[in-house]
Amino acid sequence: MNALKKLLITLLAISMLCAPLAACKKDGNAETPSTEPEQTEEREEGFEPVVLCDTKTSYYRIVRPNSTLPPVTDAATKIMDYPNSQGVRNMTFKWTNDKNAATDAEILVGFTNRPESLAVLQSINHDDFAIRTQNGKIVIAAHTPERLTDAVDYFCSKLLQVRTNDQGQKEIVYLGDYTYTGSVQYLFNKQDELKSYSIVYPKGSEKMKKSAELFQKNTKEIYGVELPVVDDTTAESACEILIGDVNRHLAKEYFGKAEAKQPFVCMTVVKEKKILFASQNEDLFDFLVANFCKKYMIPQYSFLIHAPASLEEIGDSFSFSESTALAEGADLRVMSFNILCELFNELAVIEGRQIPVIAPIFTYKPDILGMQEVSDAWYPELEALFGDLYAFADSKDKNGDANFTPLVYNTQTLTLLEHGVEPLPVVGNGHRTMSWGYFERKSDGVRFVAINTHLNPGDKDSDMSERVVQAGEMAKLVLSMQKKYQCPVITTGDYNSRLSEAPIKTYMENSGMLDACQSAKVVNRSIKTTHELFTQSHRGPGEAIDHVFASSDVELLFYNVLIDQCLAPSSDHNPIYVDVKLKK
């Protein structure tokens, strides 16, 4: 997998999460509102109108950046359509992109590679736009796509005019320059330049240093500016980008907040000419930095980071549309999630998927989680993110290899008493096990068994027959656990089989287990649980191949398949969860 593809996937994952991040709390305007600008600067006195084209010749040609970004192409198109919009059908503008050589008479739309575009952009702040003659060219410049749209609207409605010349010909003339001064304040402007900043990380933290270097790498690649990376023993300066709990007053202020003490809360703050990234979890900082760069570094429009002067984003880095509350009467939550092993799909690189994978777990906080397709490479990533909140019952199988079907438990609510990993027969083409754990709930001492599995895939009759055999083995394990521990049993897994198919029927008939999708008191959403990576499933009931089963001494209260858009880059499976009440 080459680096570009990894970057693309990372940015895709981040793009599914960046909107939820700001949903919790936000001050300042991350986006510039597109409003009808009031004239704040009169056109130059004595400006002699410039003829742009007539019915015979286009004296000026429109030049846009070599980009297909809709705001830029739409802006250029609006100017090209101006003659037609005025009812002058035998007059056209020539146009090109900035890959072609410059000429003397050009209308530069957006951030072109012409020096005139940069010169005008450097003269205005982030919420401004300018329409200005520069070296014989007409420059239409703005730092944001919204303001570029405003600029072109103003150019066409106020600064262009169709008139008849002395020879009786129709011609379009440019009436004069105009600059709009906006009200939104931005961190970076013509006074506070990016190059004056340094990136500060806590001394001794290699992870924080790498996150600082990620910010440095992005600014160098995007803007050609290499910011110095320093530790927090250096003297404080006015313009800094702070990574983590550094020795700076702004960091101390925000790390002291109650929200910051939660294990999975993220903060992005812009204040006092500084940017602060804050979280208790060091593994989130690459995500925070990459997310910020994705949202605010838009070099297609500007040479500066598009960050407001005042911003406070405090959230858990993801947000789901449905309630996370435990169902009424329930006292335990169970989840099953196949996270798509990177060994089975070349697009499923781990980089960039860690946060989307962990998001439903930390949001819905199951007590028991059955995971599938967890490779050797996934374990350190998940363990770092789990911290002290979750633990694996067994990360290795009996052969000492990675247990691809681990059982995960919430260490705050459960105590693991006994555990093990049993192989499935007819191994076939993957790592197939049955991971089990015998648990005691800390709140009341109630005990239960949980088992997690992943049956063979495949559409052939032989594949189905193998799954039937494996389902029979799962049923035997359930019965043996009930006999040994005399307690409720819950099973999770990717069974690669629908409810109507033989493996599920075999399992239920031989074990006496109930499928939550059929038997829960409330079924919130019953849909197909598999889909292509980067999409979400919406097909109807009975299509799920991921299941949660329970013995009859477990009251099944609520069943749900999660389909929130922030899950699209996580896996080719949707997580499912079930709220239950353990009968004492």
Side-chain angles (χ1 to χ4, degrees), residues 559-576:
Y559 170 93
N560 196 23
V561 180
L562 289 173
I563 62 170
D564 283 83
Q565 197 57 39
C566 63
L567 289 170
S570 66
S571 175
D572 59 350
H573 284 246
N574 296 83
I576 63 174

Side-chain angles (χ1 to χ4, degrees), residues 473-505:
E473 290 299 309
M474 271 289 292
K476 290 179 184 178
L477 182 60
V478 167
L479 295 176
S480 69
M481 290 291 165
Q482 287 177 318
K483 183 178 180 180
K484 180 178 181 179
Y485 295 112
Q486 298 292 308
C487 68
V489 177
I490 299 168
T491 71
T492 59
D494 175 358
Y495 290 77
N496 274 309
S497 306
R498 299 177 181 86
L499 278 169
S500 60
E501 293 178 325
I504 301 301
K505 291 181 178 179

Side-chain angles (χ1 to χ4, degrees), residues 467-541:
R467 287 197 291 275
V468 169
V469 173
Q470 292 175 331
E473 290 299 309
M474 271 289 292
K476 290 179 184 178
L477 182 60
V478 167
L479 295 176
S480 69
M481 290 291 165
Q482 287 177 318
K483 183 178 180 180
K484 180 178 181 179
Y485 295 112
Q486 298 292 308
C487 68
V489 177
I490 299 168
T491 71
T492 59
D494 175 358
Y495 290 77
N496 274 309
S497 306
R498 299 177 181 86
L499 278 169
S500 60
E501 293 178 325
I504 301 301
K505 291 181 178 179
T506 298
Y507 177 56
M508 294 176 69
E509 288 170 2
N510 287 277
S511 66
M513 299 287 277
L514 302 173
D515 187 289
C517 184
Q518 284 184 319
S519 302
K521 182 178 180 180
V522 175
V523 176
N524 184 62
R525 182 181 296 107
S526 173
I527 61 170
K528 183 180 180 183
T529 53
T530 53
H531 50 83
E532 293 294 323
L533 184 62
F534 308 127
T535 67
Q536 284 287 277
S537 173
H538 296 280
R539 288 180 60 179

Side-chain angles (χ1 to χ4, degrees), residues 443-462:
S443 61
D444 57 10
V446 171
R447 296 183 176 187
F448 67 96
V449 169
I451 307 172
N452 181 48
T453 195
H454 188 182
L455 304 190
N456 277 14
D459 298 325
K460 299 176 182 177
D461 291 341
S462 59

